[in-house]
Structure formats: C-alpha cells, structure tokens
Amino acid sequence: MTLRPATIALATVLLAACNPPAEPPPAQPGSSAAPTPEVSARSDRACQLATDLEQQIRHFVSEPETARLMDVRAAWRQAHEQYRLVWSDYQQAGLTLPQHGDDRDTLDAWPMLPGYLDQVPGYPKSGLVHADLALSQSFLALEHQSTDFHYLTRGFHPIEFLLWGEPAEAAADRIKHFVSPEPAPAIDAAQRRRQLLGLMAEDLTAQLQTVCRPSEQGKLSQALASQETVITLTTVANDVDHGGWSQQPAADGGAASEEAGQ
C-alpha cells in the first residue's frame, strides 16, 4: 500500500509531538560566560593595584629612601587587601583560584620562614640574600615551597618581609638594608634584596593576571550566580583575618605591617 503525502506529514507531526526535543543542558561553571560588572571590577582592580605595587617597588629600589619605602608599603597594603576581596569571591563560589599549587595559594601562602630569604636575629648572613646563587624568575618558582611549605619565594608575604623586616624595625633602619656599601662585597646583600623585590613584584603581577582573564571572570561570575551569592564591592581591611609577617608597632610610629593580620 502506498501512503499518501498527507498521511506521511500527519504521522511526522504526531511523532514529533510524542518526542519533544531534549532541553539543552544547564551551563556549567567552567563553560564560557560573560562576567558580571561586579566581578570584573573587583579582579581588574586587584590586577591594577599589583601593577601599581610593582611600579612603586621599582621606584624604591632605584633609590632607596624613607619616603619611597612608605609609598611602597602603602601600595602593598592596598594590593593585598584587594586581592583578599577576590579570594573571598572564590571562597563564596566554591572555586579554586587559578594560581593554586598543591592546594595552596601561591600568592597568599602563609606562614613563612623569613630566614629562608634573609638574615634574622641569631642567624646573620643567612638565606637566599646571602647565598652565591643566581636570582631569576624561574629560580624563585623552583624554590617556592620546594622542600617545606614555609619556604616562600613568591607572593605577597616574602615581599612584605623584605619591606618591613623585623618587628619594631624603624623605616630608617630598614632603608640601610637596601643601600650597597662601598666598596661592594663579593656578595652584595643590599643589591640582592633589591633584585629579589623586583623579581617578586614581576611574578606577583604576572600571577594575578590569571584572575583578570575574561574567561576566568566569567567562570567566577557564573559560579557565584549559581549559588545565589550576594557580593559587594566594599569591605573593611580590618575584617580580613589573615596573618602577616610582622604586626608589632614599629619604631617609626607606624605598624610593622598594619594591614596583614589586622
């Protein structure tokens, strides 16, 4: 029996009605999505403040003096505070920051052994500052938490230690650690401190760029929306509970590290 065209058309319509097309799967947090203005503003500012910190560090190491040290300390506080806001977004969203390594945040790893970087009371001429080793970005990446999670060569807190030094150390005294003596010794510790600061600042800026990629911002925005998380763009630095290297009052009337841990 030959079916008429009208009969075939009717059968097709009935089959389609019985088998509606499957709905598209819901978007996953890792899929491409447009970032929200709030997320973009927060992470973009973190990247900008990291760049500002790097510029202030370059300004300081070119001519170490007290006013420049105070400027770079203020830039460190601002950059660290803003990064903690980005960190809180990822925590609320249930996501891991893209620069995490071994389940640890390379940008904000803590606590640290400062003697791994530089001399501390009782251990003069210790640490990488006094070692006869070439300093480079790849070297710092290799050394970071290499044999101990407290051996830090990347992120905010090694920079913090080099800027503030020991608790209660006056800014004027800290400056002396960055001025090379004449004639310069075989291992110029002051020059190596300046070099370390510059390398660490470059690395910090480069690592933070990962959170400012539109794809990463979109993933974070989508994850926050899926959890119906309400995010705000303001916070108080004192609300951030995160330890810093030095927290005691400094002899210069400021705080040895007023933002970290306060």
Side-chain angles (χ1 to χ4, degrees), residues 101-115:
D102 295 327
D103 296 326
R104 294 170 187 265
D105 184 358
T106 55
L107 282 177
D108 212 21
W110 180 258
M112 66 175 287
L113 284 176

Side-chain angles (χ1 to χ4, degrees), residues 63-241:
E63 186 180 344
E65 52 98 14
T66 303
R68 295 186 179 192
L69 177 61
M70 303 312 290
D71 287 342
V72 76
R73 285 178 175 181
W76 184 93
R77 294 187 190 101
Q78 289 183 318
H80 184 243
E81 175 187 340
Q82 188 65 29
Y83 174 74
R84 293 294 293 175
L85 297 181
V86 174
W87 177 89
S88 69
D89 281 349
Y90 277 85
Q91 291 294 301
Q92 293 173 33
L95 296 179
T96 300
L97 283 145
Q99 75 278 357
H100 265 221
D102 295 327
D103 296 326
R104 294 170 187 265
D105 184 358
T106 55
L107 282 177
D108 212 21
W110 180 258
M112 66 175 287
L113 284 176
Y116 185 67
L117 281 183
D118 203 351
Q119 65 185 29
V120 292
Y123 296 90
K125 296 185 178 181
S126 64
L128 296 179
V129 164
H130 298 273
D132 188 13
L133 296 169
L135 300 175
S136 66
Q137 293 283 2
S138 58
F139 174 77
L140 295 184
L142 183 65
E143 287 297 304
H144 182 75
Q145 297 183 326
S146 56
T147 57
D148 191 302
F149 281 124
H150 297 160
Y151 291 173
L152 305 185
T153 55
R154 308 176 78 183
F156 280 100
H157 297 290
I159 295 174
E160 178 191 18
F161 169 64
L162 289 175
L163 292 176
W164 271 272
E166 293 299 315
E169 184 176 354
D173 292 332
R174 190 63 195 158
I175 292 295
K176 299 174 184 177
H177 293 279
F178 293 92
V179 179
S180 298
E182 294 184 1
I187 296 180
D188 187 345
Q191 188 276 333
R192 287 176 67 82
R193 287 187 189 96
R194 297 194 301 268
Q195 186 180 2
L196 265 176
L197 266 178
L199 289 171
M200 290 175 177
E202 288 177 5
D203 181 67
L204 183 75
T205 302
Q207 285 199 77
L208 252 177
Q209 291 303 315
T210 59
V211 304
C212 292
R213 295 171 183 162
S215 59
E216 185 67 24
Q217 293 175 345
K219 181 176 73 173
L220 176 58
S221 299
Q222 196 169 33
L224 287 168
S226 68
Q227 295 191 7
E228 298 182 351
T229 305
V230 177
I231 59 176
T232 60
L233 286 175
T234 59
T235 191
V236 179
N238 291 344
D239 291 340
V240 178
D241 183 14

